[in-house]
Amino acid sequence: MSKIAIVTDSTAYLPTKWIEQYNLCVVPIKVHWGNETFLDGVDITPIEFYTRLAHSTSLPTTSQPSIQDFVQVFESLADQADGIVAPLISSGISGTVASAQAAAKEFSRLPVEIVDTKVTSAGLALVVLAAARAAAQGKSLQEVRQAADEVVRRLHLFFAVDTLEYLHRGGRIGGASRYLGTALSIKPILFFNSEGKLDALERVRTKGKALQRLIALAEEKADGHPVHLGVIHANAPQVAQEFREQISHHLNCKEVLTLELSPAISTHVGPGTIGIAFYTKNA
């Protein structure tokens, strides 16, 4: 029976219980704020992040893990695994995949499969969980990779931001740039396109309408099939809980996760962001 290790990055922001249950290895993104550097989810929590953000005159920036960061994690797994599968944040918005691929070329003790999930946050978490569950069943390296790829192929992630300021200042705005300068009350619906880059779908006038549109998009894409789903929020737990309850009335959910955005992702989307990631089993 194969023993395949799963490595991901901190933007999946998985609860500790799942990290422990599936023995996952998490490589943190770096958050730079003034002269300080924090490891995402290690040195700075969401509560600390939003508290500091409210009083800061400058916005933080982020950077991907280094090649050596990944090599060190791969080396730590060499004596206990037969192979590594690493689902990671979209290469369309981060250099993390590139760092991991370079590390895999340097590392020869185990075969390593790097999966560009073309998303992040709850979307990435859903891919990681699918790979981890396949690994827990003793599947081979290629079977675990295939489990991850199947979710990536069927995955959708839509979200609404309160303001485009953070995406714009962080340089991750992509196709949403056409909505810059619109009224503050306008809420853009954004998504990850087939290249794993951020794009704008449409805009609605209020947060409530944005949430209803997210549900309608999920219903349309699911087309009656059961879904695995994750609700995403940035410092909006109550809104996320109510949104989750609404979704459960509209979709046949096999699994529903509620995940907070990591500080590294919140840096780019800002507080108040709400999103939905999902895939169908029979798409």
Side-chain angles (χ1 to χ4, degrees), residues 60-227:
T61 59
T62 60
S63 63
Q64 72 262 25
S66 69
I67 296 170
Q68 194 56 37
D69 290 336
F70 278 105
V71 169
Q72 288 175 357
V73 170
F74 296 163
E75 287 285 355
S76 72
L77 296 168
D79 293 330
Q80 52 185 290
D82 302 311
I84 298 167
V85 174
L88 301 169
I89 181 175
S90 173
S91 62
I93 61 169
S94 172
T96 301
V97 164
S99 288
Q101 289 172 335
K105 289 180 181 178
E106 285 189 16
F107 177 74
S108 59
R109 297 178 64 189
L110 292 178
V112 180
E113 293 285 335
I114 307 298
V115 180
D116 182 353
T117 65
K118 305 294 180 70
V119 291
T120 186
S121 184
L124 173 55
L126 289 169
V127 178
V128 171
L129 285 174
R133 287 163 179 163
Q137 294 169 8
K139 299 290 182 68
S140 69
L141 179 71
Q142 289 306 315
E143 287 172 326
V144 174
R145 168 72 195 245
Q146 184 177 6
D149 286 341
E150 279 293 301
V151 175
V152 171
R153 186 173 68 82
R154 296 175 169 152
L155 194 59
H156 302 279
L157 194 156
F158 299 96
F159 65 102
V161 295
D162 272 354
T163 172
L164 290 171
E165 174 192 359
Y166 296 92
L167 283 168
H168 178 50
R169 290 175 66 176
R172 304 302 205 277
I173 196 163
S177 61
R178 66 180 180 269
Y179 291 154
L180 280 173
T182 56
L184 292 176
S185 59
I186 295 296
K187 304 301 178 188
I189 304 292
L190 309 176
F191 70 103
F192 281 90
N193 63 24
S194 60
E195 297 178 343
K197 296 180 179 179
L198 284 179
D199 209 340
L201 182 68
E202 58 194 58
R203 54 186 179 177
V204 295
R205 292 198 171 275
T206 66
K207 186 67 165 284
K209 288 182 178 179
L211 299 183
Q212 291 307 310
R213 184 61 182 132
L214 291 176
I215 294 173
L217 285 165
E219 285 187 289
E220 176 188 323
K221 297 295 184 182
D223 195 25
H225 295 294
V227 298

Side-chain angles (χ1 to χ4, degrees), residues 25-72:
C25 288
V26 180
V27 183
I29 303 291
K30 296 178 176 69
V31 178
H32 309 285
W33 212 329
N35 295 322
E36 297 177 273
T37 296
F38 303 94
L39 297 180
D40 188 31
V42 177
D43 300 326
I44 187 167
T45 66
I47 291 175
E48 292 166 342
F49 175 83
Y50 295 119
T51 299
R52 181 164 179 159
L53 187 66
H55 298 93
S56 178
T57 57
S58 63
L59 285 178
T61 59
T62 60
S63 63
Q64 72 262 25
S66 69
I67 296 170
Q68 194 56 37
D69 290 336
F70 278 105
V71 169
Q72 288 175 357

Side-chain angles (χ1 to χ4, degrees), residues 6 14 18 22 24 124-134 255 257:
I6 307 298
L14 289 160
W18 289 337
Y22 294 109
L24 305 174
L124 173 55
L126 289 169
V127 178
V128 171
L129 285 174
R133 287 163 179 163
E255 175 178 41
L257 321 174

